Amino acid sequence: MQEPEFFRVLPAGVTLHTARISFKGVDVPTLVGCVDQLDAESGKLADAGVGVIVFAAMAPSMVKGKGHDLGLIARMEKAGACPATTAATAFVQSLTHLGIRRIAIGAPWSREINQLMIAFMEAHGFEVVASAFAGLTRGEDLVRSEEHTSELQSH
């Protein structure tokens, strides 16, 4: 769902190569299992000679808690033979770099995944002062998440 946004902001001379991790549901078992595809997809990106691999899916990279993202990075770096990161890792690093310690979360997924996101951020030392979620449980709904923004529910 993110490729159109990425293509709009790419500077001249920078290319974007994408691979897809398939997940039909936005639930814990699906998010845990979808990363089984990560090694193969990272290897395909290596064939394109990319300089970095980013797993741009927040929920699968944080669903198993603190440190899970680092394990995924190690796998991508091995399979892709280049530096890698995840959305969760980049989020934590960006907030830390900016000196932000208190955050509010607005997310598209379910209460269960939202609770895991809160726990992940708190495990990294952030104070989650508020959160809301849209309750989406199907991967295809994430593509159209802007249609559901009025449906946000408070934590």
Side-chain angles (χ1 to χ4, degrees):
M1 74 182 228
Q2 300 156 336
E3 291 91 346
E5 295 172 5
F6 292 155
F7 283 117
R8 280 195 294 271
V9 299
L10 283 178
V14 174
T15 60
L16 174 69
H17 303 264
T18 62
R20 305 233 18 114
I21 300 296
S22 176
F23 54 95
K24 300 288 184 193
V26 187
D27 55 74
V28 173
T30 301
L31 296 174
V32 168
C34 77
V35 298
D36 291 346
Q37 306 162 54
L38 204 52
D39 304 274
E41 296 305 315
S42 296
K44 291 176 189 176
L45 292 170
D47 291 346
V50 300
V52 66
I53 296 173
V54 179
F55 185 32
M58 181 64 122
S61 57
M62 63 81 192
V63 72
K64 289 179 75 177
K66 185 176 182 180
H68 180 61
D69 55 325
L70 302 179
L72 297 177
I73 290 170
R75 287 175 48 195
M76 290 186 297
E77 289 180 343
K78 181 178 179 184
C82 68
T85 194
T86 72
T89 310
F91 188 49
V92 167
Q93 290 175 341
S94 296
L95 293 173
T96 301
H97 176 76
L98 294 170
I100 296 170
R101 302 310 305 161
R102 300 177 74 225
I103 62 171
I105 298 170
W109 44 62
S110 68
R111 177 182 305 276
E112 178 183 24
I113 305 302
N114 194 54
Q115 289 299 120
L116 295 171
M117 174 70 175
I118 292 168
F120 180 84
M121 296 308 294
E122 288 176 344
H124 281 87
F126 295 94
E127 178 187 354
V128 179
V129 297
S131 71
F133 56 95
L136 304 182
T137 58
R138 298 180 317 159
E140 65 190 68
D141 289 336
L142 293 177
V143 177
R144 294 181 297 279
S145 61
E146 69 278 355
E147 296 172 10
H148 302 282
T149 55
S150 64
E151 302 169 17
L152 286 177
Q153 305 167 40
S154 292
H155 159 61

